[in-house]
Amino acid sequence: AQSVTQLGSHVSVSEGALVLLRCNYSSSVPPYLFWYVQYPNQGLQLLLKYTTGATLVKGINGFEAEFKKSETSFHLTKPSAHMSDAAEYFCAVSGPARDMRFGAGTRLTVKP
Amino acid sequence: DTAVSQTPKYLVTQMGNDKSIKCEQNLGHDTMYWYKQDSKKFLKIMFSYNNKELIINETVPNRFSPKSPDKAHLNLHINSLELGDSAVYFCASRGVGDEQFFGPGTRLTVL
């Protein structure tokens, strides 16, 4: 069965600093991997996804993630944090049954 | 145009009542889901339907019953509501490449 682990339930950065949110996955088959963002009182919005091909994936709002099979990781990064990036971020993996399993989420706080 | 919509957005009710949440998607997807998000933001899949057929039924009390009248709609009916049912419920539909599109959520509060 597939699963993801997000390291750090809460990450705090200063505006303009690098954002790094960590995600490790477990899957019995080549995984499809996703990052979603949830702003307060809203649903989840897709940031980016990896299916096959290029391992560095670019998403919306300046975010990107790199699929590293040897490390079973799919960390999310953004070079320069903006106040509007403050939200809850979820890593997810889709497996053979095509159902999606989510990590526990990481709350990103951006300090002025 | 809203891709995945849910009604109502907020639902406050007493213990023991029966309530329904409706979900509609206009994306033409075949597969739809219900998720429960608890107070710690943990997202748990409850049900999955593919073209009106139940595919996934996680360990959910049988007080919860999904109904899919057609592939664009997946409703959730909850009988005999309990305090522990208080959560945010999200509907989603699955597109190409397994990407899921989420509705805005329904915040259920059981008093």
Side-chain angles (χ1 to χ4, degrees):
Chain A
Q2 67 274 25
S3 65
V4 292
T5 302
Q6 291 184 241
L7 302 174
S9 60
H10 189 196
V11 170
S12 181
V13 301
S14 297
E15 193 173 18
L18 171 72
V19 175
L20 171 60
L21 305 182
R22 300 176 189 272
C23 173
N24 287 89
Y25 70 90
S26 172
S27 180
S28 56
V29 297
Y32 286 7
L33 293 159
F34 306 82
W35 275 100
Y36 282 85
V37 61
Q38 184 180 28
Y39 298 104
N41 298 314
Q42 293 187 27
L44 278 72
Q45 179 183 2
L46 182 71
L47 274 178
L48 49 81
K49 65 179 180 182
Y50 169 79
T51 53
T52 57
T55 56
L56 182 61
V57 181
K58 294 187 186 300
I60 62 171
N61 301 340
F63 284 93
E64 61 183 37
E66 187 170 12
F67 170 64
K68 291 187 176 180
K69 185 178 177 181
S70 61
E71 299 177 9
T72 61
S73 69
F74 191 59
H75 302 330
L76 182 71
T77 60
K78 181 174 180 177
S80 177
H82 193 271
M83 297 296 291
S84 60
D85 294 327
E88 192 87 19
Y89 290 80
F90 293 91
C91 182
V93 61
S94 177
R98 303 188 67 193
D99 56 317
M100 193 172 289
R101 304 291 163 164
F102 287 84
T106 298
R107 180 181 298 177
L108 176 66
T109 302
V110 182
K111 299 175 290 187
Chain B
D1 280 346
T2 303
V4 182
S5 59
Q6 294 179 230
T7 54
K9 187 167 176 63
Y10 299 96
L11 187 51
V12 181
T13 188
Q14 301 285 332
M15 268 195 332
N17 284 350
D18 303 337
K19 290 293 178 185
S20 292
I21 307 172
K22 295 187 175 183
C23 177
E24 176 181 2
Q25 54 97 2
N26 62 7
L27 299 167
H29 295 158
D30 289 335
T31 305
M32 296 180 70
Y33 302 84
W34 278 109
Y35 289 89
K36 179 181 180 180
Q37 186 175 48
D38 63 23
S39 58
K40 293 192 170 130
K41 300 292 187 183
F42 185 70
L43 267 168
K44 179 176 165 49
I45 189 170
M46 300 174 68
F47 300 103
S48 165
Y49 264 75
N50 182 274
N51 206 5
K52 302 195 296 175
E53 181 183 346
L54 180 65
I55 301 298
I56 294 172
N57 184 356
E58 294 287 310
T59 307
V60 175
N62 58 15
R63 298 182 295 103
F64 290 79
S65 54
K67 296 262 189 318
S68 181
D70 55 61
K71 74 173 193 178
H73 296 84
L74 181 62
N75 304 323
L76 183 65
H77 188 75
I78 316 170
N79 289 327
S80 304
L81 278 155
E82 300 178 356
L83 291 176
D85 297 332
S86 295
V88 181
Y89 293 83
F90 287 101
C91 176
S93 70
R94 189 180 75 210
V96 175
D98 292 0
E99 174 183 346
Q100 292 190 18
F101 296 79
F102 283 79
T106 296
R107 182 175 296 275
L108 172 64
T109 303
V110 182
L111 303 175

